Amino acid sequence: MENLNSVKTKEDALRLLNIALEHEWAVSFEYTIHAYSMPKGKYFYEDPIMKNKTDIRAQTIQIGIDEMYHSLQLGIIITQMGGVPSFKTDEVRRYPKIMDNLKRDKATEDMVTNLYQSAEFEESAFPKIENMIWNISYDEVRHSKQFEAMMEALKMEGTEESLCFQPNPENIHKEEVQLLHEITHLENELMHRYLKYVFLFGEHQDLTQRLFKNAIDHMRHWDKNSGILINMGDVIQIENAEKDENGVEVSKNPMPSTYPGEDRLTALETLTPKEENIIAKYEKIISLVEEGEIEDQLKLHLALNREHLFTVEWLLKNAQKIKDLK
Ligand SMILES: [Fe+2]
Ligand SMILES: [Fe+2]
Ligand SMILES: [Fe+2]
């Protein structure tokens, strides 16, 4: 991540916001992936802010969600300023040990706090943006303290060497596991695609509210699918990751960096085939799994995606009815 110290022009401000956005996309994944690589309800710490005994995994997911909201804020402001929000991301990593992931998370928080707090804005040039940057930076300060306390707790408990979940090698031959990975990549793609259109139509609440709801549903599906993968003896994948000899996975492209559609019609046209595709894959996977909790969960995802399909088909048709709609 490059630092940008002096913010004088609109171009400087947009540059800073996009550097920050590429960071926020990365950590919104990275933390959630780190969380879904460790067991639920096993490692606890005393949270320094909430003053409460807290599950490390659950709080790491919460921090990932905070980062998603930072991305949303930044994307909306960039678009309002006439810029184009970036969908590139900083590098995402996963280490074999839980402790090493937490170390990285804490170091990342300190680095981004520095990016935000070292930006020197020309006086009165962008007061609201300057204020927003300070506000975001104190979320990062809180996150850093929380990750620090999580690391302390692992040390105190003597669980510093605990490992992340590893996929069972036999799963390569299990169609339902491979299909769930594919579906989870699609959920990720759809969530970010919807967010791009949320930014694009940010000036009008009608489309943004509807599209944002779908983005959040897809984020939840991604999240729930990550839990299902653990129940299947697997673990959430980092897209386009390479693993080195020490078992460290690194990806520079954990999500697609471009999504087609630059106006109302061309954006909406892309959604129907995407929703149809994911629906077909959920129908297929449901036919492969046994009756029970996993099937019930997948059926809920399928049902909501069918609702999305109905919505996006009508968003498009209704837009086509209106002449000169931009
Ligand atoms: Fe953040
Ligand atoms: Fe953070
Ligand atoms: Fe959907």
Side-chain angles (χ1 to χ4, degrees), residues 171 174-188 220-237 239 278 281-286 288-289 293-295 297-299 301-302 305:
N171 286 344
K174 287 194 183 151
E175 195 184 354
E176 71 277 18
V177 178
Q178 297 315 313
L179 191 51
L180 190 54
H181 281 301
E182 202 187 316
I183 289 173
T184 307
H185 290 185
L186 292 172
E187 292 286 9
N188 183 26
R220 290 208 182 104
H221 295 169
W222 185 91
D223 187 287
K224 293 275 179 214
N225 286 349
S226 303
I228 296 176
L229 282 163
I230 294 170
N231 292 337
M232 289 178 163
D234 217 271
V235 64
I236 180 74
Q237 291 173 339
E239 289 177 44
I278 202 165
K281 303 227 184 257
Y282 272 111
E283 285 167 346
K284 170 84 183 156
I285 195 172
I286 286 165
L288 296 173
V289 298
E293 224 174 284
I294 290 178
E295 190 198 26
Q297 191 66 54
L298 294 171
K299 279 184 170 169
H301 296 185
L302 170 61
N305 280 316

Side-chain angles (χ1 to χ4, degrees), residues 62 74 176 191 219 238 248 283 312:
Q62 278 308 313
L74 293 165
E176 71 277 18
M191 165 178 66
M219 183 171 82
I238 305 178
V248 183
E283 285 167 346
V312 297

Side-chain angles (χ1 to χ4, degrees), residues 187 190 194 214 218 275 278 304-305 308:
E187 292 286 9
L190 265 167
Y194 273 105
N214 291 9
H218 285 294
E275 291 286 3
I278 202 165
L304 262 186
N305 280 316
H308 296 168

Side-chain angles (χ1 to χ4, degrees), residues 1 30 42 77 192 264 291:
M1 183 197 298
E30 196 164 44
K42 181 164 179 192
I77 299 293
H192 290 95
R264 195 180 283 248
E291 261 181 50

Side-chain angles (χ1 to χ4, degrees), residues 4 9-16 126:
L4 199 145
T9 64
K10 188 171 131 182
E11 282 64 40
D12 294 339
L14 283 170
R15 180 104 195 85
L16 172 69
F126 306 98

